[in-house]
């Protein structure tokens, strides 16, 4: 079987590193926002409240 047709295809860009789902978030933790496909957005914030499903984040540039 000729495999050259597979190796000559252009490579797709890699996906961003998956988020750390095994880490617990606590008030005061610093986080980075994620956009489409888990790509970092370069927006940073601080966790104000967190539970097992959700977190409230105060973003650094939110103007408040």
């Amino acid at each position: 079987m000729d495999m050259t047709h597979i190796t000559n295809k252009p490579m797709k860009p890699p996906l961003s590193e998956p988020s750390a789902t095994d880490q617990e978030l606590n008030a005061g933790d610093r986080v980075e926002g994620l956009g489409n496909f888990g790509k970092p957005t370069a927006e940073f914030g601080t966790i104000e409240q967190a539970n097992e499903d959700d977190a409230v984040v105060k973003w650094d540039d939110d103007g408040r």
Side-chain angles (χ1 to χ4, degrees), residues 8-35:
N8 290 336
K9 287 185 176 182
M11 298 294 289
K12 293 180 181 178
L15 295 177
S16 293
E17 190 173 309
S19 60
T21 58
D22 62 335
Q23 294 180 350
E24 186 176 317
L25 294 174
N26 297 303
D29 287 350
R30 297 285 293 159
V31 294
E32 182 175 12
L34 299 176

Side-chain angles (χ1 to χ4, degrees), residues 3-56:
M3 298 297 271
T4 57
H5 70 280
I6 294 173
T7 58
N8 290 336
K9 287 185 176 182
M11 298 294 289
K12 293 180 181 178
L15 295 177
S16 293
E17 190 173 309
S19 60
T21 58
D22 62 335
Q23 294 180 350
E24 186 176 317
L25 294 174
N26 297 303
D29 287 350
R30 297 285 293 159
V31 294
E32 182 175 12
L34 299 176
N36 294 337
F37 304 106
K39 186 173 183 174
T41 62
E43 292 182 295
F44 294 91
T46 304
I47 300 290
E48 292 185 338
Q49 296 177 343
N51 62 34
E52 64 184 47
D53 297 319
D54 298 306
V56 176

